[in-house]
Amino acid sequence: DGGITQSPKYLFRKEGQNVTLSCEQNLNHDAMYWYRQDPGQGLRLIYYSQIVNDFQKGDIAEGYSVSREKKESFPLTVTSAQKNPTAFYLCASSITRVYNEQFFGPGTRLTVL
Amino acid sequence: AQKITQTQPGMFVQEKEAVTLDCTYDTSDPSYGLFWYKQPSSGEMIFLIYQGSYDQQNATEGRYSLNFQKARKSANLVISASQLGDSAMYFCAMSETGAGSYQLTFGKGTKLSVIP
């Protein structure tokens, strides 16, 4: 079945640690995205990538980093510089055209202890 | 200024009744797309319906329809014959040609509760 997988589902981190969230898609989509969701805030874009080896900052990129070495994979690293990382993180992918439906993964819930 | 505004934080609807979730948007781009997503308590985002700025007809997908009023910049979602499984968060989102990034801008969402 085609789709997007994210792992882990739940992640706990101690303050000062970097953690990496995995996102893999087998939909052959060129574009991939990372969103952060806080209660009452909707989804906010962290980073996006429209092609392998290229990515752009979204609205809230500070304290995060990404890589796009393969078309299928777009991992997100939450660094110790991110002041308030506890949130729900969603990965998505789409084809690259304006009228694009984004397909979402099941999400990773990150909690900083 | 917010690009997508959803003014109803929460809504209640009786089972089998219709409900309208409001969405207004702000853009100067003549070419844009409007989307609605559903997010159940499990957290997954489920695509419901799409409307392009140049589409003449309102979009429909089963029990979902989008009431597109371009002059008012409104794109309300109508759910007919509500079911208990419709209880979820609903998000309106927009993509703009000028952005060039194919990204979506989301509203803050409306929590819909269907009452038996």
Side-chain angles (χ1 to χ4, degrees):
Chain A
D1 285 327
I4 300 179
T5 57
Q6 290 186 244
S7 61
K9 186 166 182 164
Y10 298 96
L11 186 57
F12 297 90
R13 186 194 99 173
K14 292 182 181 179
E15 281 194 36
Q17 286 182 336
N18 292 356
V19 289
T20 298
L21 281 58
S22 168
C23 177
E24 304 275 333
Q25 55 102 357
N26 60 4
L27 300 167
N28 200 32
H29 286 167
D30 285 314
M32 296 187 74
Y33 313 81
W34 273 106
Y35 294 93
R36 170 181 172 139
Q37 187 177 25
D38 296 285
Q41 291 289 326
L43 277 67
R44 292 183 290 169
L45 183 67
I46 304 172
Y47 267 98
Y48 64 95
S49 168
Q50 295 176 194
I51 197 168
V52 174
N53 292 323
D54 186 52
F55 47 83
Q56 306 294 328
K57 292 182 179 180
D59 301 320
I60 56 165
E62 186 175 350
Y64 300 97
S65 66
V66 293
S67 63
R68 188 86 187 278
E69 297 176 1
K70 298 186 298 182
K71 188 175 185 177
E72 315 80 64
S73 178
F74 191 41
L76 173 75
T77 297
V78 184
T79 75
S80 56
Q82 169 48 234
K83 297 278 188 280
N84 184 20
T86 295
F88 187 54
Y89 291 87
L90 284 157
C91 178
S93 71
S94 74
I95 57 176
T96 48
R97 61 184 176 103
V98 172
Y99 302 148
N100 57 319
E101 171 193 344
Q102 289 190 11
F103 293 79
F104 284 83
T108 292
R109 195 166 296 278
L110 173 64
T111 302
V112 173
L113 303 172
Chain B
Q2 286 188 26
K3 288 197 171 186
I4 297 286
T5 303
Q6 294 181 253
T7 57
Q8 307 152 313
M11 290 276 288
F12 290 90
V13 64
Q14 204 75 36
E15 195 178 3
K16 299 180 186 175
E17 297 289 314
V19 63
T20 298
L21 306 184
D22 294 341
C23 173
T24 57
Y25 60 91
D26 182 27
T27 182
S28 56
D29 195 328
S31 178
Y32 53 90
L34 296 157
F35 302 77
W36 277 92
Y37 284 84
K38 172 184 177 181
Q39 187 179 41
S41 57
S42 58
E44 70 209 272
M45 293 287 284
I46 302 167
F47 167 74
L48 296 177
I49 197 166
Y50 161 80
Q51 179 87 40
S53 59
Y54 294 119
D55 293 343
Q56 298 295 317
Q57 308 258 3
N58 285 344
T60 60
E61 288 285 349
R63 293 188 299 112
Y64 304 106
S65 60
L66 199 152
N67 184 359
F68 181 46
Q69 298 189 38
K70 196 169 182 176
R72 294 186 176 185
K73 293 189 174 178
S74 114
N76 298 340
L77 176 70
V78 181
I79 305 174
S80 63
S82 296
Q83 302 171 357
L84 295 178
D86 293 335
S87 294
M89 285 291 293
Y90 288 82
F91 292 95
C92 181
M94 176 174 66
S95 66
E96 299 165 280
T97 305
S101 64
Y102 314 105
Q103 63 179 281
L104 295 181
T105 302
F106 285 84
K108 293 190 175 183
T110 295
K111 183 174 182 179
L112 179 66
S113 299
V114 181
I115 305 165

